[in-house]
Amino acid sequence: ENTKFLDIANDFWWNWYIARAININLLSLENENFYPNRTINRVEVLKLITKLSDIDLSTYASKNYEIKDVTKTDWEYPYVVFAIDNNLFSLNGWYFYSNKWVSRWELVNLMYKFKK
Protein backbone atom coordinates (compact mmCIF):
# COMPACT_ATOMS: atom_id res chain seq x y z
CA GLU A 1 0.00 0.00 0.00
CA ASN A 2 1.38 3.42 -0.95
CA THR A 3 1.73 5.71 2.05
CA LYS A 4 2.25 8.86 -0.05
CA PHE A 5 5.48 9.77 1.75
CA LEU A 6 8.22 10.70 -0.70
CA ASP A 7 10.96 8.95 1.29
CA ILE A 8 9.15 5.58 1.56
CA ALA A 9 9.26 3.15 -1.36
CA ASN A 10 5.94 1.59 -2.33
CA ASP A 11 7.26 -1.93 -1.73
CA PHE A 12 8.61 -1.53 1.82
CA TRP A 13 7.24 -4.18 4.18
CA TRP A 14 6.18 -1.61 6.80
CA ASN A 15 3.90 0.39 4.49
CA TRP A 16 0.79 -1.36 5.81
CA TYR A 17 1.62 -0.14 9.34
CA ILE A 18 2.29 3.39 8.19
CA ALA A 19 -0.93 3.45 6.14
CA ARG A 20 -2.87 2.17 9.16
CA ALA A 21 -1.35 4.89 11.36
CA ILE A 22 -2.42 7.48 8.79
CA ASN A 23 -5.96 6.02 8.64
CA ILE A 24 -6.41 6.30 12.41
CA ASN A 25 -4.95 9.84 12.41
CA LEU A 26 -1.87 8.81 14.33
CA LEU A 27 0.32 10.14 11.52
CA SER A 28 -0.29 13.07 9.26
CA LEU A 29 0.54 13.50 5.58
CA GLU A 30 1.12 17.18 6.28
CA ASN A 31 4.83 16.60 5.76
CA GLU A 32 5.85 14.93 2.51
CA ASN A 33 8.49 12.81 4.27
CA PHE A 34 8.26 10.17 6.99
CA TYR A 35 11.97 10.12 7.94
CA PRO A 36 12.03 6.38 8.78
CA ASN A 37 15.59 6.44 10.15
CA ARG A 38 15.12 9.46 12.38
CA THR A 39 15.00 8.97 16.14
CA ILE A 40 11.98 9.97 18.21
CA ASN A 41 11.99 12.29 21.21
CA ARG A 42 10.07 12.29 24.49
CA VAL A 43 7.27 14.60 23.41
CA GLU A 44 6.76 12.79 20.11
CA VAL A 45 6.35 9.50 21.99
CA LEU A 46 3.91 11.12 24.42
CA LYS A 47 1.91 12.58 21.55
CA LEU A 48 1.61 9.16 19.91
CA ILE A 49 0.58 7.45 23.15
CA THR A 50 -2.02 10.05 24.07
CA LYS A 51 -3.47 10.02 20.54
CA LEU A 52 -3.66 6.22 20.55
CA SER A 53 -5.42 6.25 23.91
CA ASP A 54 -7.66 9.21 23.14
CA ILE A 55 -6.44 11.08 26.22
CA ASP A 56 -8.06 14.45 26.88
CA LEU A 57 -5.14 16.77 27.58
CA SER A 58 -7.24 19.82 28.50
CA THR A 59 -6.99 19.12 32.23
CA TYR A 60 -3.21 18.85 31.92
CA ALA A 61 -2.99 22.09 29.93
CA SER A 62 -4.72 23.99 32.72
CA LYS A 63 -2.36 22.84 35.48
CA ASN A 64 0.44 25.09 36.70
CA TYR A 65 3.84 23.46 36.86
CA GLU A 66 7.20 25.14 37.11
CA ILE A 67 9.23 23.57 34.33
CA LYS A 68 12.32 25.50 33.32
CA ASP A 69 12.51 24.37 29.69
CA VAL A 70 8.79 24.16 28.84
CA THR A 71 6.39 27.06 29.35
CA LYS A 72 2.63 26.87 29.66
CA THR A 73 2.26 28.45 26.21
CA ASP A 74 4.42 25.79 24.48
CA TRP A 75 2.45 23.24 22.44
CA GLU A 76 4.08 20.36 24.31
CA TYR A 77 3.16 21.63 27.80
CA PRO A 78 0.07 19.38 28.28
CA TYR A 79 2.05 16.33 27.14
CA VAL A 80 4.84 17.09 29.62
CA VAL A 81 2.37 17.61 32.49
CA PHE A 82 0.62 14.37 31.50
CA ALA A 83 3.96 12.55 31.69
CA ILE A 84 4.84 14.04 35.06
CA ASP A 85 1.39 13.38 36.58
CA ASN A 86 1.44 9.77 35.41
CA ASN A 87 5.08 9.09 36.35
CA LEU A 88 6.01 8.39 32.75
CA PHE A 89 8.99 10.72 32.77
CA SER A 90 10.31 12.84 35.58
CA LEU A 91 11.83 16.28 35.88
CA ASN A 92 15.57 16.52 36.29
CA GLY A 93 16.31 19.65 38.29
CA TRP A 94 13.02 21.18 37.07
CA TYR A 95 13.98 20.46 33.44
CA PHE A 96 12.02 18.03 31.28
CA TYR A 97 14.27 17.86 28.20
CA SER A 98 11.46 17.44 25.63
CA ASN A 99 13.86 16.86 22.76
CA LYS A 100 15.82 14.10 24.50
CA TRP A 101 15.79 10.95 22.38
CA VAL A 102 13.95 7.95 23.74
CA SER A 103 15.86 4.68 23.85
CA ARG A 104 14.21 1.37 23.10
CA TRP A 105 14.34 0.51 26.81
CA GLU A 106 12.69 3.82 27.74
CA LEU A 107 9.96 3.23 25.19
CA VAL A 108 9.18 -0.26 26.49
CA ASN A 109 9.28 1.00 30.08
CA LEU A 110 7.03 3.91 29.18
CA MET A 111 4.52 1.61 27.50
CA TYR A 112 4.56 -0.70 30.53
CA LYS A 113 3.96 2.20 32.93
CA PHE A 114 1.22 3.63 30.77
CA LYS A 115 -0.58 0.31 30.49
CA LYS A 116 -0.79 -0.07 34.29
Side-chain angles (χ1 to χ4, degrees):
E1 187 169 345
N2 187 338
T3 63
K4 311 277 189 258
F5 287 113
L6 299 177
D7 59 348
I8 301 286
N10 289 336
D11 60 350
F12 275 125
W13 67 269
W14 62 63
N15 279 350
W16 184 88
Y17 299 101
I18 295 171
R20 178 73 178 122
I22 292 166
N23 289 338
I24 63 171
N25 295 318
L26 189 58
L27 291 176
S28 168
L29 289 171
E30 199 173 292
N31 190 333
E32 294 179 337
N33 293 300
F34 180 70
Y35 304 108
N37 295 318
R38 199 183 115 205
T39 54
I40 190 166
N41 68 38
R42 288 176 153 195
V43 175
E44 291 169 328
V45 167
L46 291 168
K47 186 173 181 181
L48 289 171
I49 288 173
T50 56
K51 281 187 92 168
L52 272 173
S53 302
D54 201 25
I55 303 282
D56 179 10
L57 292 171
S58 61
T59 58
Y60 298 100
S62 63
K63 292 187 175 189
N64 292 313
Y65 276 64
E66 182 182 331
I67 306 166
K68 291 187 177 184
D69 57 345
V70 179
T71 66
K72 195 166 183 172
T73 57
D74 292 336
W75 72 268
E76 71 260 32
Y77 182 83
Y79 297 99
V80 172
V81 173
F82 169 78
I84 294 166
D85 278 1
N86 290 283
N87 297 315
L88 302 176
F89 289 115
S90 59
L91 293 176
N92 184 357
W94 299 105
Y95 289 89
F96 184 74
Y97 301 107
S98 299
N99 292 321
K100 181 180 176 188
W101 302 126
V102 176
S103 70
R104 291 173 70 156
W105 177 88
E106 287 174 311
L107 179 59
V108 170
N109 190 42
L110 178 67
M111 290 166 40
Y112 173 78
K113 285 180 178 180
F114 188 74
K115 186 172 171 66
K116 286 174 115 179

